[in-house]
């Protein structure tokens, strides 16, 4: 007996007087077939792989794993860097093939179970010490393998996601620029829908963003993450977005052509906006324009103008279309009459509380109590301020004949204020 054989006998665990690693090496062929059968039986995703792939690369990795663990039992040392790199590379290939991470990790554990069943059946009563040693080595091996599998898989997915995000960002940029986005969609692997619902969104703060002692930047990121996750969950296809903590633009793929967008579509979208607000914990005001992919750029501009008009006219959270603000939108466009309309309430510029009260009263459907609640003042205060506004302007918000004029004057006033360089 050589010195190396004697050292191996003394250090390597043995069952029934035979080194455990030699039992594994001798049964490698049988073990490979048994492990492959377990993979297909217990992990259905492996059964969907092409037969040449299953019998090729997958079978090679199973054999390699058996030999690797046998070497651990022989030497008492875990796999070195070269073997760890091979495990990461194999896991990366599975990630690229779309095999779930849990299935890849489970495959190694199923292989370990087969190896354990093969060798432990030969253990004798006097082998208890070696049984415990093999168990410790098996657990250490699985711990290392699981970490390497996860590292290889995650690295591959991060690279893939990075490429996907670049392609999606390129598609979004092309849509927002106008023209044909087909080439960008092909690069992103996305089928362009018949239309996009183009939403311009204003997002209020989450309560955590206002709480003292809270990292407001983190709270804003969490709010955005919840909104994006819910948007993805509720949307068929791939939604695209440019969002910050206070809002932005969202493109929702939609199978109904833009010309056929109707009341039922609006109702569904309004429910989605409400759900998004609940999930992210913030009030959302959104304006929508439906457009074919080639018309997204113009639709985004119009949606932004509709949202700004709805905000300026004192409307609350929710979904708005151009039809909802036709008068205000038209009066906010440059025209010879706009300056004259704005001048009707010009005297209120020096009394912003009167202007705010007038705006709230009209937005609340001429309901003084609702207006008072919105302004957080007593209803009598609303009455007093409306009387003062009438004194300054000659227009009475409680008189039906003046209501339309006041709405038009407010729209013109707000549009002109927004157009001034110093209009905050």
């Amino acid at each position: 007996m050589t010195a190396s054989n004697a050292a191996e006998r003394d250090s390597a665990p043995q069952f029934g007087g035979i080194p455990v690693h030699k039992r594994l090496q001798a049964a490698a062929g049988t073990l490979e077939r048994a492990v492959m059968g377990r993979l297909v039986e217990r992990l259905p995703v492996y059964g969907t792989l092409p037969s040449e792939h299953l019998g090729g690369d997958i079978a090679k990795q199973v054999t390699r794993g058996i030999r690797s663990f046998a070497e651990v039992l022989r030497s008492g040392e875990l796999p070195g860097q070269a073997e760890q790199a091979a495990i990461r590379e194999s896991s990366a290939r599975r990630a690229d093939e779309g095999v779930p991470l849990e299935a890849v990790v489970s495959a190694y554990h199923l292989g370990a179970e087969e190896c354990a069943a093969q060798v432990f059946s030969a253990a004798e009563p006097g082998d208890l010490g070696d049984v415990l040693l093999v168990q410790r080595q098996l657990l250490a091996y699985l711990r290392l393998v699981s970490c390497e599998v996860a590292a290889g898989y995650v690295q591959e997915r991060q690279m893939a996601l990075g490429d996907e995000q670049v392609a999606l960002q390129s598609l979004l940029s092309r849509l927002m620029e106008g023209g044909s986005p087909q080439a960008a969609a092909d690069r992103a692997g996305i089928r362009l829908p018949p239309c996009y619902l183009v939403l311009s969104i204003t997002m209020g703060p989450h309560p955590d963003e206002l709480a003292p002692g809270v990292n407001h930047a983190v709270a804003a990121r969490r709010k955005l993450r919840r909104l994006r996750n819910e948007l993805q969950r509720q949307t068929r296809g791939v939604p695209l977005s440019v969002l910050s903590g206070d809002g932005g633009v969202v493109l929702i793929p939609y199978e109904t052509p833009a010309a056929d967008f109707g009341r039922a579509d609006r109702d569904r979208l309004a429910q989605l906006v409400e759900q998004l607000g609940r999930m992210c914990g913030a009030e959302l005001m959104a304006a929508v324009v439906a457009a074919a992919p080639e018309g997204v750029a113009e639709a985004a501009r119009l949606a932004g103008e509709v949202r700004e008009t709805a905000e300026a006219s004192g409307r609350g959270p929710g979904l708005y279309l151009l039809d909802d603000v036709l008068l205000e939108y038209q009066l906010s466009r440059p025209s010879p009459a706009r300056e004259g309309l704005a001048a009707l309430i010009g005297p209120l510029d020096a009394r912003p509380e009167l202007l705010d009260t007038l705006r709230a009263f009209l937005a609340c459907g001429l309901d003084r109590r609702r207006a008072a609640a919105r302004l957080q003042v007593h209803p009598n205060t609303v009455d007093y301020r409306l009387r003062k506004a009438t004194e300054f302007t000659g227009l009475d918000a409680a008189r039906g004949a003046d209501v339309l004029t006041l709405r038009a004057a407010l729209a013109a006033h707000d549009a002109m204020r927004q157009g001034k360089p110093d209009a905050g």
Side-chain angles (χ1 to χ4, degrees):
M1 180 181 297
T2 65
S4 62
N5 287 339
E8 181 180 274
R9 184 195 64 194
D10 292 338
S11 60
Q14 301 180 15
F15 292 166
I18 299 175
V20 178
H21 69 274
K22 289 189 175 181
R23 289 184 179 275
L24 276 181
Q25 291 167 346
T30 301
L31 275 174
E32 179 190 316
R33 290 188 292 273
V35 172
M36 293 298 294
R38 289 282 299 281
L39 292 185
V40 174
E41 175 189 351
R42 297 283 297 278
L43 304 172
V45 67
Y46 278 90
T48 65
L49 296 176
S51 56
E52 67 273 12
H53 181 44
L54 194 63
D57 189 33
I58 302 298
K60 287 180 181 177
Q61 294 307 316
V62 169
T63 300
R64 182 172 191 141
I66 295 170
R67 291 175 177 171
S68 177
F69 182 54
E71 178 59 22
V72 171
L73 295 173
R74 186 197 68 80
S75 66
E77 297 180 359
L78 291 173
Q81 292 185 355
E83 183 62 23
Q84 292 175 31
I87 294 171
R88 289 196 299 273
E89 290 170 6
S90 174
S91 179
R93 290 196 295 273
R94 302 295 85 79
D96 185 57
E97 294 159 2
V99 179
L101 175 57
E102 60 269 24
V104 183
V105 175
S106 294
Y108 280 92
H109 282 256
L110 287 174
E113 289 177 10
E114 286 295 328
C115 288
Q118 175 69 31
V119 297
F120 283 142
S121 61
E124 298 178 352
D127 296 329
L128 178 58
D130 283 349
V131 167
L132 296 176
L133 175 58
V134 171
Q135 287 180 331
R136 287 196 299 271
Q137 291 175 325
L138 179 60
L139 290 174
Y141 176 75
L142 285 176
R143 183 168 59 248
L144 179 142
V145 165
S146 298
C147 290
E148 296 301 328
V149 166
Y153 196 100
V154 169
Q155 183 177 18
E156 173 62 26
R157 288 308 302 151
Q158 286 177 336
M159 292 176 60
L161 287 173
D163 292 340
E164 290 173 12
Q165 288 302 317
V166 169
L168 289 175
Q169 186 61 43
S170 176
L171 173 58
L172 176 59
S173 297
R174 192 71 185 92
L175 286 165
M176 296 296 287
E177 291 167 0
S180 175
Q182 189 60 60
D186 291 342
R187 286 193 296 273
I190 290 179
R191 179 187 70 84
L192 287 173
C195 95
Y196 279 101
L197 303 182
V198 184
L199 276 75
S200 176
I201 295 177
T202 294
M203 192 182 318
H206 186 278
D208 287 347
E209 294 179 77
L210 305 175
V214 173
N215 187 319
H216 296 166
V218 171
R221 286 196 295 271
R222 293 183 66 226
K223 175 182 69 175
L224 273 177
R225 184 170 63 251
R226 288 192 294 268
L227 186 145
R228 288 194 177 103
N229 289 344
E230 184 65 13
L231 180 64
Q232 182 65 65
R233 194 177 73 83
Q234 297 280 356
T235 303
R236 293 181 180 179
V238 181
L240 305 171
S241 63
V242 182
L243 291 168
S244 63
D246 56 2
V249 176
V250 173
L251 308 184
I252 299 177
Y254 208 60
E255 292 304 312
T256 300
D260 297 331
F261 186 86
R263 169 59 64 177
D265 302 293
R266 179 208 174 114
D267 290 344
R268 283 193 292 270
L269 186 58
Q271 291 175 4
L272 174 60
V273 170
E274 184 179 345
Q275 174 69 7
L276 292 175
R278 282 197 299 267
M279 293 304 296
C280 73
E283 291 186 340
L284 299 184
M285 172 180 276
V288 64
V289 176
E294 295 79 7
V296 163
E298 178 62 21
R301 180 194 62 76
L302 178 57
E305 292 175 349
V306 170
R307 178 188 51 75
E308 290 171 359
T309 302
E311 288 178 337
S313 60
R315 285 168 167 80
L319 178 70
Y320 297 92
L321 278 67
L322 177 59
D323 286 352
D324 299 317
V325 292
L326 282 175
L327 175 63
E328 295 91 339
Y329 181 83
Q330 184 60 37
L331 291 172
S332 66
R333 304 302 96 186
S335 74
R338 188 174 69 169
E339 187 172 345
L341 280 169
L344 294 177
I345 56 173
L348 302 185
D349 280 339
R351 297 290 300 273
E353 77 282 3
L354 302 185
L355 194 61
D356 290 343
T357 300
L358 179 61
R359 191 190 310 280
F361 184 65
L362 294 174
C364 291
L366 312 186
D367 187 324
R368 57 191 284 274
R369 293 190 179 278
R370 284 177 56 202
R374 176 178 291 194
L375 295 167
Q376 297 183 328
V377 298
H378 194 277
N380 291 342
T381 303
V382 172
D383 291 337
Y384 170 78
R385 291 179 180 177
L386 290 175
R387 286 196 301 272
K388 296 300 293 184
T390 300
E391 291 177 14
F392 280 111
T393 65
L395 298 169
D396 186 353
R399 188 168 59 226
D402 289 345
V403 170
L404 184 59
T405 302
L406 283 168
R407 288 189 184 278
L410 274 171
H413 172 274
D414 292 337
M416 293 188 67
R417 288 287 296 170
Q418 289 175 359
K420 292 181 180 180
D422 61 344

